[in-house]
Amino acid sequence: MSRGGQGLARVAVVVRAGAAPLWWLGVCGAGIGVLVPGFTGRRIGVLAGAALFLVTAAVVAYGRRKRYAALARGTARAGRNDILQDRAVTVRAWRRGHRWWLLLAFLAAVGSSFAAPATLGMLCAGAGAGLYLKSAWLGRRERSDEALLWVRVDWLNGRGGDPAGKPVKGYRATGTSAGDATPGGARRKVTV
């Protein structure tokens, strides 16, 4: 990074990186859990899991929105020498940094099915759905402001996540055509 440039990762991509793995691990864990009758029985387990899914999705989707909004209000334009990180690199860094946590969550979801079938699997799926909803909210904000939000890579935690953590002092902004991800963090479709 010559002449003071910084590596920048998209905020929405960092948030969205955990949505798919948590969703699919949760769905698989809940599906396996439904096959086991469990201590509480399938009906109680699935009803408790549905309640946990809704509560977790809401908590994750709405959690720390004030912090994100405050950081977004104080954005500075990205510098000429700043390096915009590819979406794939950001997603890979997050997933590599969280792989053991994801494995433990899946094992806990399957193992807990012997007590309450599908409950923890649906909780994991709810966390994934909440992350997706949060990234969609960030995307709507980026579209209305006509600016993509970026965070310095060295301000992310050691696992490549937490774009609104304590070390983050502010975001950088670029135009909506910068980078390879659309507002909200989805992969940009390549037109030929």
Side-chain angles (χ1 to χ4, degrees):
M1 294 183 228
S2 58
R3 291 179 283 231
Q6 300 288 335
L8 302 178
R10 279 286 304 285
V11 175
V13 172
V14 175
V15 170
R16 189 182 176 116
L22 282 169
W23 170 261
W24 287 112
L25 289 176
V27 167
C28 290
I32 293 168
V34 169
L35 300 175
V36 179
F39 180 71
T40 62
R42 287 187 187 103
R43 182 175 179 194
I44 292 173
V46 170
L47 289 174
L52 278 175
F53 176 89
L54 294 173
V55 169
T56 304
V59 168
V60 171
Y62 290 98
R64 301 177 76 188
R65 278 197 181 187
K66 287 183 182 178
R67 172 81 172 139
Y68 282 95
L71 289 168
R73 277 192 298 274
T75 57
R77 286 306 275 179
R80 177 180 222 163
N81 296 317
D82 288 334
I83 299 166
L84 305 180
Q85 191 175 77
D86 288 343
R87 179 186 184 279
V89 174
T90 304
V91 170
R92 191 176 325 120
W94 190 97
R95 292 181 182 170
R96 187 174 292 150
H98 290 83
R99 65 182 176 265
W100 296 112
W101 290 107
L102 293 169
L103 177 64
L104 285 173
F106 178 70
L107 293 175
V110 172
S112 70
S113 295
F114 292 100
T119 305
L120 284 185
M122 293 179 87
L123 183 136
C124 287
L131 287 174
Y132 178 76
L133 292 171
K134 184 176 282 186
S135 71
W137 170 74
L138 283 166
R140 286 191 300 276
R141 185 176 183 99
E142 287 175 332
R143 281 188 196 91
S144 68
D145 294 345
E146 294 184 1
L148 301 180
L149 299 174
W150 300 79
V151 63
R152 282 176 46 174
V153 174
D154 58 332
W155 284 348
L156 296 174
N157 66 20
R159 294 184 305 277
D162 203 8
K166 200 176 254 188
V168 179
K169 307 292 184 245
Y171 292 148
R172 305 263 176 99
T174 62
T176 54
S177 62
D180 62 346
T182 63
R187 188 177 300 127
R188 194 179 297 275
K189 290 183 175 53
V190 180
T191 55
V192 181

